[in-house]
Amino acid sequence: MTDIASSNSRGFSRRSFIAGAAALTAAGVLSGCSSNTGGLAPHTADSSKAGTEEIFSGSCRSQCIQGCYLNVHVRDGQIVRTTAGHIEEEPFYEHICPKGLSHPARVYSAGRLQYPMRRVGERGAGEFERISWDEAIQEITDKWKGYREEYGPESIAFFLGSGNTAVLGGGTADGSVMQHLQTVMGACSVLPDRDIAFQSAMVKVFGPGSAFVSPLEWNGANHIVIWGCNPAVSCKRMMHFYLDAKDAGAQLTTIDIQYNTNAAKSDWFVPVHPATDGALVFGILSEVLAQGWQDTEFMRAHSEAPFLVKEDNTFLRMSDLGVAPTTGKMHMAWK
């Protein structure tokens, strides 16, 4: 506290802090934010001889399922920056977040793998040797063939959904190049350790095209609930849509186990203990039904709700549909 007070007494202010930070940045002191500059011309080079900057169309590969359009600025054969790409039909979606802005740093990161490596030491020792792409492909496919012959195709498992296996990287869980390879091989899947039930269930409940509403329409909402996601961190460019809707009059509620940025921007924060979300959901549903707040006609027309409970208020079972339970196997049904 003494140091802070003395700093303030010397005229340290927000303005001087910003000015100092700008000076440090210009001097290149923030080296942790810079890319690998090996082989580049020194800073004192004649800028008048610099090459012409070209702009190429690109897209963000971050795993937030947004797939933002990017302008990739290239000078002398190197990416120098990224900016938000122009979308003639939908300028509303012309945005870029820190993930997209940091792509050049990742491209030229000194820690980025640029060629195949084979472990030569004990596992965990960090000892590797460089091999050619042909060697890597041959070694991997030989092992795959061996596993298939000895243990069957399902002994090989694919895990998809992280890093550059994002939507635009062709590595999503459905409809991707990686899944096509998995299907051809007859391999099995290892599902991500996360609850993605809403992604697989929403369309089944509400029908194709009706599960998600365009952010363009969020401004017409009366109330928006952020639950089971963290847009302020995971989907940064989506966060402004929530805030725009709030400015337009919508109430914003965040339900989470911790107070975070989403909660700080919301009108209401509802804290829950970990693993108790299900109990809260059933409590909300019970209150909605008890008060008669449900839109029965909408549920009948647009969801499977009428098929879950029979007229006598008992749960619908497969046996009610003439389907006998499978003996000895896990049998799943709507209950």
Side-chain angles (χ1 to χ4, degrees):
M1 294 297 293
T2 303
D3 292 338
I4 295 175
S6 61
S7 296
N8 288 335
S9 65
R10 294 187 181 95
F12 183 83
S13 63
R14 180 175 179 272
R15 181 183 297 274
S16 59
F17 171 78
I18 294 174
L24 289 174
T25 304
V29 175
L30 302 179
S31 57
C33 298
S34 63
S35 60
N36 184 11
T37 57
L40 298 183
H43 181 68
T44 55
D46 185 357
S47 61
S48 65
K49 297 181 180 179
T52 303
E53 183 174 292
E54 298 180 276
I55 300 178
F56 297 87
S57 297
S59 54
C60 187
R61 295 167 62 88
S62 296
Q63 181 68 329
C64 61
I65 69 173
Q66 305 304 312
C68 299
Y69 289 100
L70 302 181
N71 286 328
V72 182
H73 299 250
V74 177
R75 188 184 306 128
D76 295 330
Q78 288 193 314
I79 300 173
V80 293
R81 64 180 177 132
T82 52
T83 56
H86 176 61
I87 309 174
E88 188 69 35
E89 298 80 7
E90 295 287 355
F92 189 71
Y93 292 104
E94 293 179 6
H95 296 92
I96 188 171
C97 83
K99 294 181 181 181
L101 290 170
S102 64
H103 275 317
R106 287 198 290 274
V107 170
Y108 299 115
S109 170
R112 179 184 178 187
L113 290 177
Q114 301 181 46
Y115 36 76
M117 304 286 285
R118 178 195 289 127
R119 180 168 57 84
V120 294
E122 294 294 327
R123 185 180 295 276
E127 299 175 2
F128 296 87
E129 65 177 358
R130 179 177 176 177
I131 60 176
S132 69
W133 287 102
D134 288 340
E135 288 178 298
I137 294 172
Q138 188 67 52
E139 187 167 323
I140 293 172
T141 53
D142 285 347
K143 286 187 176 182
W144 280 351
K145 291 176 183 177
Y147 296 148
R148 286 168 54 89
E149 292 172 1
E150 185 172 359
Y151 304 106
E154 292 186 352
S155 63
I156 302 172
F158 277 55
F159 176 86
L160 307 174
S162 63
N164 276 343
T165 58
V167 173
L168 296 170
T172 53
D174 45 296
S176 68
V177 176
M178 292 292 288
Q179 189 179 39
H180 180 64
L181 173 62
Q182 178 184 347
T183 302
V184 171
M185 292 176 59
C188 62
S189 298
V190 175
L191 295 178
D193 185 18
R194 61 187 181 187
D195 185 359
I196 55 175
F198 81 96
Q199 292 179 336
S200 61
M202 287 287 281
V203 174
K204 294 181 176 65
V205 172
F206 294 105
S210 60
F212 300 98
V213 178
S214 168
L216 288 169
E217 301 179 31
W218 291 6
N219 284 354
N222 295 323
H223 201 119
I224 296 177
V225 179
I226 299 176
W227 194 355
C229 62
N230 189 0
V233 173
S234 302
C235 300
K236 295 178 182 293
R237 68 168 296 276
M238 295 294 292
M239 191 62 192
H240 81 93
F241 293 128
Y242 292 99
L243 300 181
D244 288 347
K246 180 183 176 184
D247 291 341
Q251 276 198 323
L252 191 60
T253 295
T254 292
I255 302 175
D256 208 300
I257 62 174
Q258 63 180 354
Y259 186 84
N260 52 27
T261 304
N262 307 295
K265 299 296 184 181
S266 297
D267 299 291
W268 293 89
F269 170 53
V270 182
V272 292
H273 290 294
T276 63
D277 297 73
L280 179 60
V281 169
F282 281 115
I284 293 173
L285 288 174
S286 177
E287 182 66 12
V288 168
L289 296 175
Q291 299 295 332
W293 294 334
Q294 73 276 11
D295 188 337
T296 303
E297 293 306 317
F298 177 88
M299 294 169 65
R300 286 176 174 169
H302 301 286
S303 77
E304 295 181 355
F307 302 107
L308 306 181
V309 181
K310 296 186 294 186
E311 292 183 357
D312 59 1
N313 289 326
T314 59
F315 292 126
L316 181 73
R317 301 183 182 276
M318 296 299 289
S319 57
D320 296 322
L321 304 178
V323 179
T326 303
T327 305
K329 294 183 178 180
M330 181 182 293
H331 186 67
M332 299 182 66
W334 284 108
K335 294 183 179 180

